[in-house]
Amino acid sequence: MKLAEALAERKDTTRRVEQLRARVVSNARYQEGEPPAEDAAQLLADAGEALDTLEALIRRINRTNAAIDMGTDGTLTDALARRDVLRLRHSVVTAAADAAAGTGERGYGRQLRSELVTLSALPVAELRGQADVLAREIREIDVRIQRTNWEADLLD
């Protein structure tokens, strides 16, 4: 099995666990004289089995991520950490640029000469440029990660 296939299976299993959790909660109590729509105990057992499967899958994925060498990006785990931080950095820089530009403020700008002027404390154009560079870096590392996911075999 390729790593990408395992990641898709992990996503499906996680979704199944969440669906089972919701069904357990919906059927945990029922009105006297009315049978529950589903057997909550069986649903709970099914959720437990799915969680066991999920844990084994996550262990294999993590083991594979730590073992795969991506060259200059380090291990796949290193590349994933780098991508996560790049995404956070992009979010911070974009939020700073938006705030400095006054994006989202109602009534931005002066109506009368007597009103106070709001000035930007940050260089908006420079921040937008940094955000563009970060977005490109995110796309590039994401492509390398995706390529590796489809090329790497899942370890036992």
Side-chain angles (χ1 to χ4, degrees), residues 41-63:
Q42 182 58 50
L43 291 171
L44 196 54
D46 292 347
E49 289 174 19
L51 286 165
D52 291 341
T53 300
L54 182 62
E55 180 182 357
L57 193 56
I58 290 171
R59 287 174 181 264
R60 290 180 67 193
I61 290 168
N62 289 346
R63 199 169 18 259

mmCIF file of all heavy atoms in Angstrom, residues 41-63:
data_model
loop_
_atom_site.group_PDB
_atom_site.id
_atom_site.type_symbol
_atom_site.label_atom_id
_atom_site.label_comp_id
_atom_site.label_asym_id
_atom_site.label_seq_id
_atom_site.Cartn_x
_atom_site.Cartn_y
_atom_site.Cartn_z
ATOM 1 N N ALA A 41 -24.931 0.010 22.185
ATOM 2 C CA ALA A 41 -23.799 -0.815 22.627
ATOM 3 C C ALA A 41 -23.035 -1.372 21.425
ATOM 4 O O ALA A 41 -21.792 -1.389 21.423
ATOM 5 C CB ALA A 41 -24.285 -1.952 23.525
ATOM 6 N N GLN A 42 -23.748 -1.798 20.402
ATOM 7 C CA GLN A 42 -23.078 -2.316 19.195
ATOM 8 C C GLN A 42 -22.348 -1.201 18.460
ATOM 9 O O GLN A 42 -21.246 -1.388 17.965
ATOM 10 C CB GLN A 42 -24.094 -2.997 18.264
ATOM 11 C CG GLN A 42 -23.465 -3.602 17.021
ATOM 12 C CD GLN A 42 -22.401 -4.642 17.352
ATOM 13 O OE1 GLN A 42 -22.639 -5.547 18.137
ATOM 14 N NE2 GLN A 42 -21.227 -4.501 16.755
ATOM 15 N N LEU A 43 -22.982 -0.033 18.392
ATOM 16 C CA LEU A 43 -22.329 1.111 17.761
ATOM 17 C C LEU A 43 -21.043 1.480 18.492
ATOM 18 O O LEU A 43 -20.025 1.799 17.867
ATOM 19 C CB LEU A 43 -23.278 2.312 17.728
ATOM 20 C CG LEU A 43 -24.483 2.206 16.804
ATOM 21 C CD1 LEU A 43 -25.438 3.367 17.055
ATOM 22 C CD2 LEU A 43 -24.045 2.157 15.350
ATOM 23 N N LEU A 44 -21.095 1.428 19.822
ATOM 24 C CA LEU A 44 -19.918 1.729 20.628
ATOM 25 C C LEU A 44 -18.814 0.699 20.375
ATOM 26 O O LEU A 44 -17.636 1.054 20.258
ATOM 27 C CB LEU A 44 -20.298 1.766 22.113
ATOM 28 C CG LEU A 44 -19.329 2.427 23.075
ATOM 29 C CD1 LEU A 44 -18.983 3.842 22.647
ATOM 30 C CD2 LEU A 44 -19.919 2.415 24.469
ATOM 31 N N ALA A 45 -19.186 -0.568 20.257
ATOM 32 C CA ALA A 45 -18.211 -1.620 19.951
ATOM 33 C C ALA A 45 -17.614 -1.399 18.560
ATOM 34 O O ALA A 45 -16.395 -1.554 18.364
ATOM 35 C CB ALA A 45 -18.871 -2.991 20.042
ATOM 36 N N ASP A 46 -18.454 -1.038 17.603
ATOM 37 C CA ASP A 46 -17.970 -0.757 16.245
ATOM 38 C C ASP A 46 -16.992 0.417 16.253
ATOM 39 O O ASP A 46 -15.970 0.400 15.559
ATOM 40 C CB ASP A 46 -19.133 -0.442 15.310
ATOM 41 C CG ASP A 46 -20.024 -1.644 15.035
ATOM 42 O OD1 ASP A 46 -19.628 -2.786 15.364
ATOM 43 O OD2 ASP A 46 -21.130 -1.436 14.492
ATOM 44 N N ALA A 47 -17.305 1.439 17.037
ATOM 45 C CA ALA A 47 -16.410 2.596 17.152
ATOM 46 C C ALA A 47 -15.074 2.173 17.747
ATOM 47 O O ALA A 47 -14.015 2.633 17.301
ATOM 48 C CB ALA A 47 -17.060 3.691 17.995
ATOM 49 N N GLY A 48 -15.104 1.303 18.739
ATOM 50 C CA GLY A 48 -13.864 0.813 19.345
ATOM 51 C C GLY A 48 -12.993 0.075 18.342
ATOM 52 O O GLY A 48 -11.777 0.265 18.301
ATOM 53 N N GLU A 49 -13.621 -0.765 17.511
ATOM 54 C CA GLU A 49 -12.872 -1.485 16.471
ATOM 55 C C GLU A 49 -12.284 -0.515 15.453
ATOM 56 O O GLU A 49 -11.129 -0.660 15.040
ATOM 57 C CB GLU A 49 -13.783 -2.488 15.771
ATOM 58 C CG GLU A 49 -14.165 -3.676 16.621
ATOM 59 C CD GLU A 49 -15.182 -4.587 15.940
ATOM 60 O OE1 GLU A 49 -15.321 -4.502 14.691
ATOM 61 O OE2 GLU A 49 -15.828 -5.369 16.653
ATOM 62 N N ALA A 50 -13.061 0.465 15.055
ATOM 63 C CA ALA A 50 -12.569 1.454 14.089
ATOM 64 C C ALA A 50 -11.417 2.259 14.676
ATOM 65 O O ALA A 50 -10.443 2.568 13.980
ATOM 66 C CB ALA A 50 -13.709 2.383 13.663
ATOM 67 N N LEU A 51 -11.503 2.581 15.969
ATOM 68 C CA LEU A 51 -10.417 3.314 16.625
ATOM 69 C C LEU A 51 -9.151 2.476 16.716
ATOM 70 O O LEU A 51 -8.039 3.000 16.552
ATOM 71 C CB LEU A 51 -10.859 3.783 18.014
ATOM 72 C CG LEU A 51 -11.836 4.962 17.988
ATOM 73 C CD1 LEU A 51 -12.510 5.127 19.342
ATOM 74 C CD2 LEU A 51 -11.122 6.234 17.567
ATOM 75 N N ASP A 52 -9.284 1.178 16.956
ATOM 76 C CA ASP A 52 -8.116 0.298 16.971
ATOM 77 C C ASP A 52 -7.444 0.266 15.595
ATOM 78 O O ASP A 52 -6.218 0.340 15.482
ATOM 79 C CB ASP A 52 -8.509 -1.118 17.395
ATOM 80 C CG ASP A 52 -8.909 -1.210 18.861
ATOM 81 O OD1 ASP A 52 -8.560 -0.295 19.638
ATOM 82 O OD2 ASP A 52 -9.579 -2.200 19.228
ATOM 83 N N THR A 53 -8.258 0.181 14.557
ATOM 84 C CA THR A 53 -7.747 0.207 13.187
ATOM 85 C C THR A 53 -7.055 1.534 12.900
ATOM 86 O O THR A 53 -5.967 1.572 12.313
ATOM 87 C CB THR A 53 -8.897 -0.009 12.183
ATOM 88 O OG1 THR A 53 -9.501 -1.272 12.445
ATOM 89 C CG2 THR A 53 -8.422 0.055 10.751
ATOM 90 N N LEU A 54 -7.672 2.615 13.336
ATOM 91 C CA LEU A 54 -7.115 3.947 13.128
ATOM 92 C C LEU A 54 -5.773 4.090 13.829
ATOM 93 O O LEU A 54 -4.815 4.620 13.255
ATOM 94 C CB LEU A 54 -8.098 5.011 13.624
ATOM 95 C CG LEU A 54 -7.680 6.465 13.427
ATOM 96 C CD1 LEU A 54 -7.512 6.785 11.948
ATOM 97 C CD2 LEU A 54 -8.716 7.389 14.055
ATOM 98 N N GLU A 55 -5.674 3.601 15.056
ATOM 99 C CA GLU A 55 -4.411 3.699 15.789
ATOM 100 C C GLU A 55 -3.298 2.950 15.062
ATOM 101 O O GLU A 55 -2.188 3.482 14.900
ATOM 102 C CB GLU A 55 -4.562 3.139 17.202
ATOM 103 C CG GLU A 55 -3.273 3.226 18.000
ATOM 104 C CD GLU A 55 -3.381 2.641 19.392
ATOM 105 O OE1 GLU A 55 -4.478 2.204 19.792
ATOM 106 O OE2 GLU A 55 -2.353 2.626 20.091
ATOM 107 N N ALA A 56 -3.573 1.747 14.594
ATOM 108 C CA ALA A 56 -2.562 0.966 13.876
ATOM 109 C C ALA A 56 -2.143 1.681 12.589
ATOM 110 O O ALA A 56 -0.950 1.722 12.251
ATOM 111 C CB ALA A 56 -3.106 -0.424 13.564
ATOM 112 N N LEU A 57 -3.096 2.255 11.904
ATOM 113 C CA LEU A 57 -2.810 2.970 10.665
ATOM 114 C C LEU A 57 -1.968 4.215 10.929
ATOM 115 O O LEU A 57 -0.984 4.474 10.215
ATOM 116 C CB LEU A 57 -4.130 3.337 9.992
ATOM 117 C CG LEU A 57 -4.093 3.812 8.557
ATOM 118 C CD1 LEU A 57 -3.402 2.800 7.656
ATOM 119 C CD2 LEU A 57 -5.512 4.055 8.066
ATOM 120 N N ILE A 58 -2.312 4.966 11.953
ATOM 121 C CA ILE A 58 -1.553 6.167 12.296
ATOM 122 C C ILE A 58 -0.125 5.802 12.688
ATOM 123 O O ILE A 58 0.824 6.494 12.302
ATOM 124 C CB ILE A 58 -2.257 6.959 13.420
ATOM 125 C CG1 ILE A 58 -3.540 7.595 12.887
ATOM 126 C CG2 ILE A 58 -1.340 8.037 13.998
ATOM 127 C CD1 ILE A 58 -4.420 8.209 13.955
ATOM 128 N N ARG A 59 0.053 4.724 13.434
ATOM 129 C CA ARG A 59 1.397 4.283 13.801
ATOM 130 C C ARG A 59 2.228 3.986 12.555
ATOM 131 O O ARG A 59 3.382 4.403 12.452
ATOM 132 C CB ARG A 59 1.335 3.041 14.679
ATOM 133 C CG ARG A 59 0.877 3.293 16.083
ATOM 134 C CD ARG A 59 0.707 1.956 16.809
ATOM 135 N NE ARG A 59 0.252 2.147 18.151
ATOM 136 C CZ ARG A 59 1.067 2.195 19.223
ATOM 137 N NH1 ARG A 59 2.346 2.061 19.081
ATOM 138 N NH2 ARG A 59 0.545 2.377 20.420
ATOM 139 N N ARG A 60 1.649 3.294 11.590
ATOM 140 C CA ARG A 60 2.368 2.952 10.357
ATOM 141 C C ARG A 60 2.681 4.210 9.545
ATOM 142 O O ARG A 60 3.774 4.346 8.989
ATOM 143 C CB ARG A 60 1.551 1.975 9.523
ATOM 144 C CG ARG A 60 1.454 0.590 10.150
ATOM 145 C CD ARG A 60 0.652 -0.364 9.305
ATOM 146 N NE ARG A 60 1.355 -0.655 8.049
ATOM 147 C CZ ARG A 60 0.791 -1.256 7.014
ATOM 148 N NH1 ARG A 60 -0.483 -1.637 7.071
ATOM 149 N NH2 ARG A 60 1.478 -1.486 5.923
ATOM 150 N N ILE A 61 1.735 5.123 9.462
ATOM 151 C CA ILE A 61 1.956 6.370 8.729
ATOM 152 C C ILE A 61 3.080 7.165 9.377
ATOM 153 O O ILE A 61 3.992 7.646 8.698
ATOM 154 C CB ILE A 61 0.655 7.196 8.647
ATOM 155 C CG1 ILE A 61 -0.351 6.507 7.724
ATOM 156 C CG2 ILE A 61 0.928 8.629 8.182
ATOM 157 C CD1 ILE A 61 -1.759 7.075 7.800
ATOM 158 N N ASN A 62 3.037 7.300 10.703
ATOM 159 C CA ASN A 62 4.071 8.059 11.403
ATOM 160 C C ASN A 62 5.446 7.411 11.240
ATOM 161 O O ASN A 62 6.447 8.102 11.045
ATOM 162 C CB ASN A 62 3.721 8.207 12.886
ATOM 163 C CG ASN A 62 2.569 9.155 13.115
ATOM 164 O OD1 ASN A 62 2.181 9.911 12.221
ATOM 165 N ND2 ASN A 62 1.998 9.120 14.300
ATOM 166 N N ARG A 63 5.495 6.086 11.329
ATOM 167 C CA ARG A 63 6.751 5.368 11.154
ATOM 168 C C ARG A 63 7.300 5.602 9.738
ATOM 169 O O ARG A 63 8.494 5.835 9.551
ATOM 170 C CB ARG A 63 6.520 3.875 11.423
ATOM 171 C CG ARG A 63 7.738 3.090 11.727
ATOM 172 C CD ARG A 63 7.499 1.662 12.245
ATOM 173 N NE ARG A 63 6.215 1.033 12.045
ATOM 174 C CZ ARG A 63 5.271 0.923 12.990
ATOM 175 N NH1 ARG A 63 5.471 1.408 14.202
ATOM 176 N NH2 ARG A 63 4.136 0.304 12.739
#
